[in-house]
Amino acid sequence: MHSLRNPKWLFLTNTFPTAVLLLLCSGEFAVVHTLLPASSVALWQAYGLALLAMGVVAACYAGTQLARQRPLGGWFSVAVLVGYSLWLCLLTVESNKLLPPGAVPRWMLPTEPLLMAWTFLMPTLAYAMLVLVARFTPDDQPHSAAPNILLAVVTPFGWWLVFSVVSWIDDHTRGASAEPYTPGRWDEVVGTLVVFGAVISTLSFFFFLVRALFIITQHRNGFWAETSLVWKVVITLVLPLVGLGVNNGLLFGQGFHHSDSGVFGNFTSPWFYALAALNALLLCLPDSPRPGVRLVQLLGRSAVFGYTFYFFLVFLPFLPLAIPAIILIGTGFLLLAPLMLFVVHVRQLHEDVTALQLVFSRAVVRAALLGGLAVLPLAVTGSFWHRRQVLHEALAYVYTPDFSKTEHIDPSALAATLAVVRQNKDRNMDFLFGSQQPYLSTYFNWLVLDNLMLSEEKLSELDRIFMSASSGYRWAPGWANDAPQPASSAPQLREATASSTYDARQQAWVSWVNLEIANPVSDIQNGEYSTAITLPIGCWVSDYYLTIGHRQERGILAEKRAATWVYAQILNENRSRDPGLLAYRRANEISLRVYPVSGSEVRRTRIQLLHKEPCTLTIDGRVLTLGDSTSAPPVAAPVALPGSGVAYVSALAKQRLPLVQRRPYYHFLLDASAGQSSAAYETRVADVLAQPLPNGAPARFSIVNAATTPVPAGADWTAQLRRTPLTGGFYLTGAIRRVLFEAQEHPAATYPVLVAVTDDLAQAVLAPDFQEFSSAFPESDVFYVLGADGQLVPHSLRHDARTPLATAPPAGAAVAVRAWPTAVRPRAYLPNTSTPSIVLSQRPAVPAPTAAPGNRWLTGLLLSGYHQWQTFHPEATEQERIPFIQASFRAGILTPFTSFLALENDAQKAALFRKQAETLAANASLDTLEKDAPPPAQTPVDGGAALLLAAGVLLAGWYLRRARPAAG
């Protein structure tokens, strides 16, 4: 094993992990340092500089030894073991000084710094230990394993003896006094000795254990060689299977429960057991004397090495717990199983490589070794990449579809993918890792979910669309949808005022809306004010302020998902922080949220609006007048920037457009989902068609399940329906949007009257409203449901689409609309109302504020027009979302993809920008929050519970010793 001491390995096991650790910790420190006291900042810097110094010294030594072509020395390994172990122990002891309790909210630290330190530095300690063992166990000299085994076994008993002696001395030193015990110098001395002794004895324990394994695997004759099959079976098969069984709750009865979670993670998949058996088989097979077969053995053993290395990596941070776990828990020795398997596997690969290099060229042997080592990582990556492709195709189909195309999704592949997403999403922290798989879940979430998540609402919706199944989740306007939650005890609007100024340069009004918010009773603490505000057409939000303390804090215009996530985390702190959030809920409607409103305090917030014409704004029943019609000329003509394809048509300009009446026609959306009795549709549809629409055009039909399949004009829809398999769910949302898309893209002298034909509307996947598509139904927002009773029941496309309307005009009633720009060659039809409209005459380009220098209102018009176009062309979202958001940032104008967020301190702002970088790089259809409730602030990845357990177990004896006098 002389090659193990090659200095190049030190760069991989020390330099690289240390550099990554320093980068990650410096990133987290940059976010939270403004919240830390000066003493904590000094500690962060001191530990960082110490780690940097040790890393630089190690890298320089490795470079020197590499240049001199000499191996790493034994004393260097001792220095690394002692130095890094003491650094980690001191870091653990002073962790509360680095991050004082309550100083930094947990959500600001994506991963526990202490956990990162143990995770990234344990490879250094493991490698130094292996180098030390290789240095004192040369292959060309005889060694005895018995003394090493004895010393390794005696170490836990030594721990127990030391703690017993220290406790006895401490008991006699304190005496039986009833006075409260005050720690003194003796306690400091004993505490230091305990920590130092724990470090040295733990390192000695692992040195002797690993050295014993080296010696055992080195023997070619004698007892260990004769019993090699026995101890190999124990180490490679029995211990891994027992460990999996204990972790997964298959052993020890009520000690653990059997479910999709475990003590150290979810290892319930049959693949883990199969790989354990295959790994044992390949390692226990005798080495073949035939070179070709031995090469195949090397390939197989290296192919399953990923399994061995994975569990070695998972349990590496817990190895220091092995001794106290053996003492306190009967099954604690299982923590050592991955280490022993790793040593045996590495030794076997080394022997295979050494033997084969005598027969084959170095290139052939190295290719077999590296090719085998890549098998499991590539297999896992390939599996995850396939999951990504399946999931993202389904997300694109539902949330960013191309309405002009019909895509087909494999429901079985999607179902399997959603199951894996749910498994890796579950934050059930059952003792340590719960239902996630350490490192693999992190890798999955990075590769498949772009480090975000998929809300239960969307998971359930995908289930219902493609599998006609449901997780029991039903959409309801809730927390993350920013729906106001009025209550008599909730903070209320106390006063609302407005001031307006006409900007002649922009030819638009600039209005400030000033709000004062207070509690109805003074005993309310940390209340949240939430309201919805409907904006007039042609009105944009251009600035936002929240009074925090004695200063007015300007809102940051940020990506919407990131801003909403930060706001949610601050709320979940349940402290007196001061965020304010302003964002779009849906078309022309924004939500305002302010937190907290406590006691008798009055919170003040301001919103700046840009609008072309005077208008009124209603907030919580209070009507505000914005602008003055006597101070500016009326807008008598459409307003547009040349070449933009977007026009603002005022109410006055609209009245000058020609009136036309279009012919209605029924468009039947036939439910062909699983479980439907479509045979009865023919009679129902015939009864409706028996009473034709006034001046109606021929009816059209679409067959709807997960996909929407239009029936060609004049074709026999009943025959096509009979040929269609009844599978999947009734994706009515997608069908309605596709019909509205066709109506918008191809304005004609006819318009659709939508009729959903189904036995049960409750099973349909139906959006709450289609307000953003309102430009496609200028005549009427009514659609109909033709149920099993044969009655046409009216519903609204604008709001509460599932709820039947009490009254509605007759289907296809004559309604006049305005033709734009002329009745001869219309490009759009506008509702004949007294409100303005925004019209698209062509595809607008991704807006840039430089297209209209100095005119923010026109920039807002371009942004609004582009979003309206993107509503009908969501397939462009992924490619053009970031330029659209950047245009919003540069213009300072709120869009449906951005939010204004006012924050209290610099740390919150730094966390916002960090989260925004994640969301901008991720798929637009992924989420940061669940949709129905604010989530608890958790430490992602693998949590900090491991380090809490480590500290508790390592110092358990010491605290128990100190607790005895009090118990007496």
Side-chain angles (χ1 to χ4, degrees):
M1 297 293 286
H2 181 76
S3 61
L4 192 63
R5 297 170 60 195
N6 191 315
K8 65 182 180 183
W9 296 113
L10 192 63
F11 292 110
L12 181 63
T13 60
N14 174 261
T15 306
F16 178 71
T18 301
V20 174
L21 176 61
L22 286 171
L23 287 174
L24 292 175
C25 287
S26 63
E28 296 198 347
F29 178 71
V31 172
V32 305
H33 74 279
T34 56
L35 300 178
L36 299 174
S39 57
S40 296
V41 172
L43 273 180
W44 275 81
Q45 294 171 343
Y47 277 102
L49 289 174
L51 182 60
L52 178 62
M54 289 191 294
V56 170
V57 169
C60 291
Y61 175 77
T64 301
Q65 294 296 94
L66 194 62
R68 297 167 60 188
Q69 297 184 344
R70 299 186 62 180
L72 298 178
W75 286 111
F76 172 77
S77 299
V78 172
V80 167
L81 286 170
V82 174
Y84 279 92
S85 297
L86 289 177
W87 188 90
L88 285 169
C89 288
L90 291 174
L91 185 75
T92 304
V93 170
E94 295 194 311
S95 59
N96 282 343
K97 295 180 181 178
L98 285 162
L99 292 173
V104 177
R106 303 302 304 164
W107 64 270
M108 286 191 181
L109 299 171
T111 307
E112 182 73 44
L114 193 58
L115 176 63
M116 287 196 298
W118 281 92
T119 300
F120 281 97
L121 295 184
M122 282 304 294
T124 296
L125 298 180
Y127 176 68
M129 179 65 70
L130 292 175
V131 170
L132 194 62
V133 170
R135 168 65 179 81
F136 291 101
T137 318
D139 293 339
D140 56 354
Q141 296 181 17
H143 307 281
S144 175
N148 294 276
I149 296 175
L150 179 63
L151 290 171
V153 171
V154 165
T155 302
F157 293 100
W159 271 47
W160 174 83
L161 181 62
V162 169
F163 276 116
S164 299
V165 172
V166 171
S167 298
W168 182 85
I169 295 174
D170 186 63
D171 291 342
H172 287 74
T173 302
R174 294 185 186 181
S177 174
E179 295 293 327
Y181 178 73
T182 302
R185 185 172 181 80
W186 164 250
D187 294 273
E188 296 180 4
V189 172
V190 171
T192 302
L193 291 175
V194 167
V195 172
F196 184 78
V199 171
I200 299 301
S201 60
T202 301
L203 294 177
S204 301
F205 169 76
F206 284 108
F207 173 80
F208 293 123
L209 176 65
V210 174
R211 189 166 188 263
L213 289 172
F214 263 62
I215 294 172
I216 290 173
T217 57
Q218 192 180 48
H219 280 282
R220 294 292 177 270
N221 48 54
F223 173 77
W224 295 114
E226 294 171 359
T227 60
S228 62
L229 182 61
V230 176
W231 56 258
K232 278 188 177 182
V233 169
V234 171
I235 292 176
T236 64
L237 182 64
V238 176
L239 290 181
L241 291 179
V242 171
L244 288 172
V246 172
N247 179 81
N248 299 334
L250 298 176
L251 302 178
F252 299 101
Q254 299 299 321
F256 305 104
H257 64 276
H258 175 53
S259 66
D260 289 335
S261 60
V263 180
F264 293 97
N266 179 12
F267 304 128
T268 57
S269 171
W271 280 107
F272 289 108
Y273 295 93
L275 285 172
L278 179 62
N279 194 36
L281 176 64
L282 291 172
L283 291 177
C284 292
L285 283 175
D287 298 332
S288 174
R290 299 170 59 186
V293 177
R294 186 70 178 271
L295 186 65
V296 173
Q297 285 182 314
L298 171 63
L299 185 63
R301 288 163 177 168
S302 59
V304 293
F305 181 74
Y307 169 86
T308 298
F309 182 74
Y310 171 70
F311 279 100
F312 174 71
L313 192 64
V314 168
F315 283 87
L316 196 57
F318 300 101
L319 287 181
L321 302 179
I323 297 177
I326 291 172
I327 297 173
L328 300 176
I329 307 173
T331 57
F333 70 92
L334 291 174
L335 288 174
L336 302 174
L339 172 64
M340 294 189 288
L341 177 59
F342 178 78
V343 173
V344 170
H345 207 145
V346 169
R347 289 286 295 185
Q348 181 64 63
L349 291 178
H350 176 262
E351 291 177 3
D352 290 340
V353 170
T354 302
L356 289 170
Q357 284 181 345
L358 300 176
V359 181
F360 298 99
S361 67
R362 181 184 296 269
V364 171
V365 176
R366 184 172 296 178
L369 177 64
L370 296 179
L373 293 177
V375 168
L376 280 182
L378 289 178
V380 170
T381 300
S383 173
F384 287 178
W385 184 256
H386 173 68
R387 304 288 188 200
R388 175 186 175 89
Q389 296 300 109
V390 170
L391 178 63
H392 285 230
E393 286 176 4
L395 291 175
Y397 180 87
V398 176
Y399 301 109
T400 58
D402 186 341
F403 294 126
S404 64
K405 299 179 180 178
T406 300
E407 304 289 344
H408 295 281
I409 305 298
D410 183 354
S412 58
L414 179 61
T417 297
L418 295 184
V420 178
V421 170
R422 282 191 169 97
Q423 172 188 310
N424 287 280
K425 172 187 174 183
D426 192 350
R427 292 291 182 181
N428 171 29
M429 300 302 288
D430 185 3
F431 189 44
L432 287 182
F433 295 116
S435 60
Q436 296 196 348
Q437 294 171 348
Y439 304 117
L440 288 178
S441 290
T442 303
Y443 184 42
F444 180 90
N445 290 329
W446 171 77
L447 184 60
V448 179
L449 298 176
D450 297 334
N451 277 332
L452 297 186
M453 63 173 289
L454 201 58
S455 65
E456 189 57 39
E457 176 201 359
K458 289 185 178 178
L459 285 169
S460 178
E461 189 169 50
L462 292 173
D463 278 335
R464 295 171 61 206
I465 290 173
F466 297 103
M467 280 73 72
S468 188
S470 175
S471 63
Y473 182 95
R474 282 293 184 272
W475 184 92
W479 186 88
N481 292 284
D482 305 327
Q485 303 292 330
S488 58
S489 60
Q492 299 174 1
L493 181 63
R494 191 179 76 169
E495 185 176 351
T497 61
S499 60
S500 301
T501 304
Y502 185 74
D503 187 340
R505 183 172 56 86
Q506 296 189 78
Q507 295 185 345
W509 290 90
V510 180
S511 297
W512 282 99
V513 176
N514 307 296
L515 306 178
E516 291 188 0
I517 302 159
N519 287 312
V521 291
S522 60
D523 58 350
I524 298 176
Q525 298 296 320
N526 294 344
E528 182 193 16
Y529 174 74
S530 177
T531 191
I533 305 172
T534 299
L535 296 177
I537 295 174
C539 181
W540 335 121
V541 178
S542 54
D543 214 343
Y544 172 67
Y545 283 87
L546 176 67
T547 301
I548 299 178
H550 298 290
R551 76 179 194 274
Q552 283 198 3
E553 183 67 35
R554 188 178 189 181
I556 299 171
L557 191 56
E559 197 272 341
K560 184 177 182 178
R561 291 178 298 172
T564 306
W565 182 84
V566 170
Y567 183 88
Q569 304 310 312
I570 297 174
L571 255 66
N572 197 59
E573 293 178 41
N574 199 26
R575 301 180 186 178
S576 296
R577 305 295 184 185
D578 292 283
L581 181 67
L582 190 65
Y584 274 95
R585 289 187 63 226
R586 57 179 186 169
N588 297 323
E589 185 176 283
I590 59 174
S591 70
L592 171 65
R593 308 175 67 187
V594 176
Y595 176 88
V597 184
S598 299
S600 57
E601 72 170 332
V602 177
R603 302 301 306 274
R604 294 177 175 85
T605 188
R606 307 175 66 205
I607 305 171
Q608 186 188 72
L609 301 174
L610 299 177
H611 49 103
K612 191 67 176 176
E613 301 177 274
C615 57
T616 58
L617 194 69
T618 302
I619 305 177
D620 290 352
R622 299 171 187 250
V623 180
L624 303 177
T625 300
L626 307 181
D628 181 1
S629 59
T630 63
S631 302
V635 182
V639 180
L641 193 67
S644 66
V646 185
Y648 172 82
V649 182
S650 66
L652 181 58
K654 186 190 292 186
Q655 298 307 310
R656 299 176 179 178
L657 296 176
L659 277 173
V660 298
Q661 285 191 4
R662 300 194 293 171
R663 298 178 61 196
Y665 66 88
Y666 281 123
H667 194 130
F668 293 95
L669 306 175
L670 307 168
D671 183 358
S673 62
Q676 290 297 306
S677 55
S678 59
Y681 291 173
E682 185 173 358
T683 302
R684 284 186 234 168
V685 172
D687 290 343
V688 173
L689 293 178
Q691 301 176 356
L693 295 171
N695 193 31
R700 301 180 189 177
F701 301 86
S702 291
I703 299 174
V704 183
N705 40 40
T708 299
T709 306
V711 177
D716 185 354
W717 66 270
T718 57
Q720 185 163 336
L721 180 61
R722 284 192 294 270
R723 292 194 299 268
T724 302
L726 302 180
T727 59
F730 183 30
Y731 185 31
L732 186 54
T733 296
I736 291 176
R737 287 175 175 170
R738 287 176 183 270
V739 174
L740 296 179
F741 164 78
E742 290 296 331
Q744 174 77 10
E745 288 294 295
H746 307 288
T750 58
Y751 70 93
V753 176
L754 297 173
V755 180
V757 184
T758 180
D759 290 337
D760 187 4
L761 183 64
Q763 298 301 317
V765 180
L766 182 61
D769 63 73
F770 298 84
Q771 176 66 25
E772 289 190 334
F773 291 78
S774 60
S775 61
F777 47 86
E779 280 88 357
S780 172
D781 65 348
V782 176
F783 77 101
Y784 298 88
V785 175
L786 182 58
D789 58 1
Q791 298 297 314
L792 280 178
V793 180
H795 292 248
S796 174
L797 291 170
R798 292 187 186 275
H799 54 81
D800 299 330
R802 287 188 179 274
T803 305
L805 295 174
T807 60
V815 177
V817 294
R818 300 285 177 173
W820 162 269
T822 65
V824 178
R825 300 185 63 181
R827 297 181 183 177
Y829 293 95
L830 311 181
N832 185 26
T833 60
S834 59
T835 57
S837 295
I838 295 176
V839 188
L840 300 180
S841 58
Q842 64 187 45
R843 183 205 192 281
V846 179
T850 54
N855 195 323
R856 294 180 70 201
W857 185 86
L858 274 181
T859 300
L861 177 63
L862 296 178
L863 290 168
S864 178
Y866 177 79
H867 176 69
Q868 182 174 319
W869 177 86
Q870 194 180 66
T871 298
F872 291 91
H873 294 270
E875 72 278 4
T877 300
E878 282 300 318
Q879 292 76 23
E880 300 182 0
R881 172 177 58 101
I882 293 180
F884 181 49
I885 292 173
Q886 291 172 340
S888 172
F889 290 166
R890 291 193 298 268
I893 293 177
L894 185 69
T895 69
F897 283 93
T898 55
S899 298
F900 275 111
L901 180 63
L903 296 171
E904 179 182 7
N905 54 54
D906 291 338
Q908 293 173 346
K909 297 173 185 178
L912 169 64
F913 294 134
R914 180 180 61 190
K915 190 65 177 182
Q916 180 173 274
E918 283 187 5
T919 56
L920 288 177
N923 187 297
S925 301
L926 295 171
D927 304 304
T928 55
L929 292 168
E930 290 292 350
K931 298 296 183 182
D932 51 3
Q938 302 178 18
T939 302
V941 193
D942 294 328
L947 267 297
L948 296 177
L949 177 71
V953 174
L954 286 174
L955 300 177
W958 176 248
Y959 284 111
L960 289 173
R961 174 182 65 81
R962 295 184 57 172
R964 286 180 183 175

